[in-house]
């Protein structure tokens, strides 16, 4: 947990605020956390504009308002910064999806709610959406492995659909991973093409695609179309 600034400071800066120059009385731990978070936020913004391959330390530190020396205090390379940004992004979106999933009683509606929540989050934060869905495939093997782990983390929620009837039992063991990977690709393509505009319009087709192997195409259409 980051250190809190001194109690006598009635209006302490938040974790992304530009810190004042000179003597400010803030604990070193708070300053470190603030600068690291600003670098991560700047990296995410840069990636949203130019992608991982175009991200440079110069652009990242300029966006964060810190020096290159400060960058190297926390990260050795752009890839290291990307790893930290990806991990924070997953940490931020995980409760969004889980809370939405838990807001419904029936499994198909739980899936729809979780997908809708993620689409809305990525629509509001397209840079984050791009970081989590597009860049793992070009940012190196460690990010690719973390992306694979994030996909696998969602598999149990989808696998509950196998309890709904006899048909899903015939699905291969890799069905959920394949469905989630394909859904990720659909979102990634839209983000690259539109920058997140109208991303929520993917909801009916995306949910139908995910639910159809478990419920059948007709039932999946019935569940999603009234809400589109």
């Amino acid at each position: 947990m980051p250190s809190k600034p001194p109690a006598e400071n009635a209006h302490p800066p938040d974790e992304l605020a530009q810190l004042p120059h000179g003597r400010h009385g803030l604990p070193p731990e708070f300053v470190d956390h603030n600068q690291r978070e600003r670098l991560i936020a700047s990296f995410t913004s840069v990636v949203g504009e130019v992608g991982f391959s175009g991200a440079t330390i110069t652009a990242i530190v300029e966006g964060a308002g810190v020096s290159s020396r400060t960058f190297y205090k926390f990260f050795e390379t752009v890839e290291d910064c990307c790893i930290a940004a990806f991990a924070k992004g997953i940490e931020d979106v995980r409760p969004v999806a889980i809370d939405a999933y838990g807001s419904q009683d029936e499994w198909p509606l739980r899936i729809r709610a979780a997908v809708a929540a993620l689409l809305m989050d990525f629509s509001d934060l397209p840079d984050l959406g791009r970081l989590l869905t597009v860049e793992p495939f070009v940012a190196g093997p460690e990010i690719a492995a973390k992306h694979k782990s994030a996909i696998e983390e969602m598999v149990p929620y989808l696998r509950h659909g196998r309890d709904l009837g006899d048909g899903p039992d015939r699905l291969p063991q890799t069905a959920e991973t394949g469905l989630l990977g394909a859904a990720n690709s659909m979102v990634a393509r839209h983000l690259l093409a539109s920058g997140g505009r109208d991303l929520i319009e993917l909801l009916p087709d995306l949910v139908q695609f995910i639910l159809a192997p478990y419920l059948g195409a007709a039932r999946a259409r019935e569940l999603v179309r009234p809400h589109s």
Side-chain angles (χ1 to χ4, degrees):
M1 294 295 290
S3 297
K4 295 182 179 180
E8 63 269 16
N9 188 344
H11 301 287
D14 64 34
E15 67 177 12
L16 293 180
Q18 183 80 40
L19 299 181
H21 295 291
R23 298 176 62 85
H24 44 57
L26 296 170
E29 297 86 351
F30 180 84
V31 174
D32 284 351
H33 178 77
N34 170 275
Q35 292 175 334
R36 187 176 187 275
E37 291 301 302
R38 279 158 51 201
L39 285 164
I40 287 173
S42 177
F43 171 83
T44 304
S45 177
V46 170
V47 162
E49 294 180 8
V50 298
F52 175 81
S53 61
T56 65
I57 291 174
T58 298
I60 295 166
V61 299
E62 286 180 354
V66 300
S67 66
S68 58
R69 181 179 178 181
T70 298
F71 178 93
Y72 287 114
K73 180 178 181 179
F74 301 106
F75 309 110
E76 293 186 4
T77 64
V78 171
E79 185 175 358
D80 288 340
C81 190
C82 182
I83 291 167
F86 185 89
K88 185 177 189 305
I90 292 297
E91 182 181 329
D92 289 344
V93 303
R94 182 184 288 115
V96 172
I98 292 176
D99 289 350
Y101 183 90
S103 69
Q104 300 293 325
D105 294 327
E106 298 182 21
W107 177 80
L109 298 181
R110 288 185 163 195
I111 294 297
R112 185 184 186 280
V115 173
L118 288 175
L119 290 178
M120 292 177 67
D121 206 39
F122 291 165
S123 181
D124 291 337
L125 302 168
D127 295 345
L128 175 62
R130 177 168 176 169
L131 172 63
L132 297 184
T133 65
V134 178
E135 301 309 319
F137 301 99
V138 297
E142 188 165 352
I143 294 297
K146 290 184 179 299
H147 181 265
K148 183 176 183 293
S149 295
I151 292 290
E152 293 294 337
E153 185 179 333
M154 293 185 282
V155 164
Y157 296 96
L158 199 53
R159 190 158 281 170
H160 285 308
R162 292 176 182 254
D163 299 331
L164 298 180
D166 296 331
D169 292 337
R170 296 192 295 270
L171 292 174
Q173 288 300 307
T174 57
E176 286 78 17
T177 302
L179 286 168
L180 290 165
N184 179 94
S185 295
M186 292 170 67
V187 174
R189 287 196 299 271
H190 191 100
L191 282 165
L192 281 175
S194 71
R197 292 188 303 276
D198 304 320
L199 188 60
I200 195 64
E201 292 182 4
L202 282 180
L203 181 62
D205 290 343
L206 197 56
V207 174
Q208 183 179 333
F209 171 77
I210 294 171
L211 294 182
Y214 304 94
L215 306 178
R219 178 58 178 154
R221 281 195 301 272
E222 179 184 337
L223 282 168
V224 301
R225 294 303 179 188
H227 302 280
S228 62

